[in-house]
Amino acid sequence: MFLTISTTGTPDRPATDLGFLLHKHPDKAQTFSTSHGTAHVLYPEATPERCTAALLLEVDPVALVRRGKGKGRGGAPDSALAQYVNDRPYAASSLLSVAMTTVFKSALRGVCKALPERAAAPMPLRIEVPALSARGGPELVHKLFGPLGWQRVKSEPVALDEKFPEWGESRYVKLLLEGELRLADALRQLYVLLPVLDDAKHYWVAPDEVDKLLRAGEGWLADHPEQKLITSRYLSRRWGLTRQAMEALELVRLAEADDTEIEEIDNAVAATTAESEAEEEKPASLAVQRREAILEELRNSGASRVLDLGCGQGQLVRELLKDVRFTEIVGVDVSMRALAVAARRLRLEQMGERQSGRVKLMQGSLAYTDKRLKRYDAAVLSEVVEHVDPERLPALEYAVFGAARPQTVLVTTPNVEYNVRWESLPAGEKRHGDHRFEWTREEFRGWARKVAERHGYETEFVPVGPDDPEVGPPTQLAVFRRVAKAATVKDATTKEAKAA
């Protein structure tokens, strides 16, 4: 199988810089051993104006059979059906991808100490693969490469036999890509998409393949319109691994949308024992009092279908499950680690059918409207708003009160005035390192009343924990109840006229 990478140059930036970026000297033909054959790198042309690097992979059919696992274990199905006579030595596939990681390892990572600025910048590229197995045909080739910044994507079908055109086309295409991209980005795209198009792998797909996919897909896979197909095929349709990768990519997408680090979003699970103990608040009984207050208000509201927005590790969900009046409980959190811990603590996999039918955990960000959150009786934001940047509170407000619009909304948040009563909390510090702010009673009530006014709710405030006569309770709870739209002045006038 064969792959060529070409570029053009200028007097200031000669095309032969390609040799530095690939870490392969244009004047040398080099040979590398792979697990299934031999890879050769050579330069058919190397001038300042134009340079082409070629990767030729000679596959050893005997080694392929001996090392292959066969269909059903991540191996190539063609090898299982015809072990010694098949297309594997000729058509680009996962074999070529693995060879690229051996031969172009540094280039794939975008590392070039000699020309770091060239490695970091886009350059004119022309990539050709004369024979590529494409299960899905030219249309799928364009769907996969089209959104990735290439100015030209050409996939020419290869006839089964040119002497017998009536036999039609094979599943193979001749691929041509042209455009200005970083070399590392182009190589990573090929590394992922060659086996995706072939829809087969010559080796067993282990859990570490998820990390390989995420590394190679950095910067382009999270927003790719065919993300699900790419992920599923790359991981040989192993559903558990595919789901794990999709969840990680969703976290990447949310982080990019929020212009923040993944760790800042996926922070609902404490990294150390000390942090996890702090998560429960000090004293520990306050967390219990808070949940009891929430449960009481939910029961008073008559709600049966409840959203726990920012459910964390599922403590409130667990308490809700104990009360049969709550028939549908949905825990939502942006952190997949928190949801995984919640699922484990709730023992979802061991639950009976009736009990498991009452609960659902799903990933979501309250910074965006989500149609899945509509038509619920009540929503709880327990110790959530203080983790949101102030400038993003309006987005959370609209997502909950404007779009989802449950009948009842419960919001709890720390009362900063009470912090002086915590002997272990230094003056001026917040209760948690991730808190963006902590409100006084007046600030919280002012925010809550404005939200209620804008979206048609009425509010009531309930103290949680010991209500100190000077500084108030440690936690403040706002109960929002949706009110029916008041009759307009025009409607009232009309009714009075009719009565007269």
Side-chain angles (χ1 to χ4, degrees):
M1 57 187 74
F2 195 62
L3 163 73
T4 61
I5 305 170
S6 303
T7 188
T8 55
T10 64
D12 295 333
R13 293 190 169 185
T16 47
D17 284 352
L18 181 63
F20 288 99
L21 301 182
L22 292 175
H23 297 262
K24 302 293 178 285
H25 199 289
D27 293 338
K28 297 180 180 179
Q30 302 181 53
T31 301
F32 304 85
S33 295
T34 71
S35 57
H36 295 90
T38 305
H40 306 271
V41 178
L42 58 149
Y43 287 77
E45 56 181 340
T47 66
E49 293 77 27
R50 183 176 177 84
C51 185
T52 299
L55 172 60
L56 172 65
L57 179 61
E58 291 184 296
V59 175
D60 181 354
V62 176
L64 183 61
V65 172
R66 290 176 177 174
R67 294 177 181 269
K69 299 299 183 181
K71 188 176 181 180
R73 290 184 57 80
D78 294 319
S79 298
L81 295 173
Q83 292 188 338
Y84 293 99
V85 181
N86 53 64
D87 69 346
R88 298 297 88 180
Y90 313 107
S93 63
S94 60
L95 291 163
L96 187 58
S97 292
V98 171
M100 288 170 58
T101 63
T102 302
V103 176
F104 299 140
K105 184 177 181 180
S106 296
L108 277 160
R109 292 188 287 115
V111 175
C112 181
K113 293 182 179 180
L115 298 173
E117 71 286 351
R118 288 285 271 157
M123 61 189 301
L125 292 173
R126 178 187 174 95
I127 295 178
E128 294 183 78
V129 183
L132 169 62
S133 175
R135 299 176 192 268
E139 182 180 355
L140 182 59
V141 174
H142 284 267
K143 284 184 177 180
L144 297 185
F145 285 102
L148 298 179
W150 295 98
Q151 279 75 49
R152 184 184 181 195
V153 178
K154 182 180 179 182
S155 55
E156 182 181 340
V158 177
L160 280 172
D161 194 320
E162 294 180 355
K163 295 181 179 179
F164 300 94
E166 64 273 14
W167 289 2
E169 298 169 348
S170 68
R171 71 165 186 265
Y172 306 98
V173 299
K174 179 179 180 181
L175 175 65
L176 171 64
L177 303 172
E178 289 183 331
E180 289 205 7
L181 280 81
R182 289 176 62 242
L183 178 63
D185 293 338
L187 292 175
R188 286 199 290 257
Q189 292 170 15
L190 289 169
Y191 170 79
V192 172
L193 297 181
L194 292 183
V196 166
L197 284 164
D198 186 34
D199 198 14
K201 282 199 170 182
H202 67 280
Y203 57 90
W204 168 244
V205 176
D208 64 348
E209 288 295 302
V210 174
D211 292 331
K212 294 179 184 178
L213 174 62
L214 296 178
R215 286 196 299 269
E218 183 179 355
W220 62 272
L221 184 53
D223 295 319
H224 198 291
E226 298 296 331
Q227 176 199 106
K228 186 174 182 179
L229 179 143
I230 293 170
T231 305
S232 176
R233 283 194 176 194
Y234 182 88
L235 297 170
S236 295
R237 292 183 171 81
R238 293 191 61 188
W239 169 237
L241 298 182
T242 301
R243 181 176 58 185
Q244 180 183 344
M246 293 287 288
E247 290 170 349
L249 289 168
E250 176 63 11
L251 202 59
V252 171
R253 188 190 65 78
L254 290 171
E256 290 177 348
D258 283 353
D259 192 24
T260 187
E261 297 296 327
I262 292 177
E263 291 76 11
E264 293 185 25
I265 292 181
D266 198 13
N267 62 3
V269 178
T272 67
T273 303
E275 290 172 350
S276 64
E277 291 173 354
E279 194 71 20
E280 284 291 326
E281 298 277 357
K282 293 183 179 181
S285 60
L286 178 59
V288 176
Q289 292 180 60
R290 186 166 55 240
R291 287 195 287 271
E292 289 177 347
I294 291 170
L295 289 168
E296 182 179 355
E297 294 298 334
L298 288 174
R299 293 178 185 122
N300 292 341
S301 73
S304 59
R305 304 175 69 243
V306 180
L307 294 166
D308 184 5
L309 304 176
C311 65
Q313 300 177 47
Q315 292 94 332
L316 179 60
V317 173
R318 181 176 55 200
E319 297 302 316
L320 290 168
L321 279 170
K322 295 177 182 178
D323 194 329
V324 294
R325 78 186 73 194
F326 302 118
T327 58
E328 185 176 352
I329 305 156
V330 177
V332 180
D333 205 286
V334 73
S335 169
M336 288 310 307
R337 286 190 294 169
L339 292 174
V341 172
R344 186 170 63 250
R345 289 187 172 183
L346 295 170
R347 299 183 180 179
L348 291 184
E349 294 184 357
Q350 288 79 39
M351 274 187 186
E353 183 177 351
R354 178 177 297 182
Q355 187 79 331
S356 63
R358 295 174 56 210
V359 63
K360 181 194 301 182
L361 300 178
M362 61 188 190
Q363 186 185 34
S365 170
L366 298 181
Y368 308 96
T369 58
D370 191 336
K371 62 182 180 181
R372 299 176 298 174
L373 306 183
K374 292 184 177 180
R375 294 183 291 278
Y376 282 86
D377 301 325
V380 178
L381 292 95
S382 179
E383 309 300 280
V384 170
V385 294
E386 64 272 13
H387 292 270
V388 179
D389 291 320
E391 62 270 19
R392 290 176 180 162
L393 278 178
L396 177 145
E397 172 191 329
Y398 179 76
V400 176
F401 295 92
R405 292 191 61 76
Q407 189 67 35
T408 302
V409 181
L410 306 180
V411 179
T412 73
T413 192
N415 170 21
V416 69
E417 297 171 75
Y418 193 88
N419 286 1
V420 296
R421 297 291 188 257
W422 297 116
E423 296 180 0
S424 59
L425 185 65
E429 289 196 12
K430 298 180 178 65
R431 298 186 196 178
H432 191 285
D434 188 55
H435 286 183
R436 273 35 176 187
F437 57 87
E438 288 177 352
W439 276 326
T440 64
R441 287 170 289 173
E442 182 180 352
E443 289 170 333
F444 178 54
R445 294 182 180 191
W447 173 81
R449 286 173 179 142
K450 290 178 181 178
V451 169
E453 182 181 354
R454 283 192 288 264
H455 299 284
Y457 285 79
E458 61 182 13
T459 56
E460 178 187 355
F461 300 95
V462 179
V464 178
D467 196 355
D468 188 288
E470 295 182 3
V471 297
T475 295
Q476 39 194 343
L477 166 63
V479 182
F480 295 80
R481 299 184 184 91
R482 200 176 71 204
V483 296
K485 290 184 179 180
T488 64
V489 174
K490 180 178 179 181
D491 291 337
T493 305
T494 304
K495 288 181 181 178
E496 291 176 3
K498 289 182 178 179

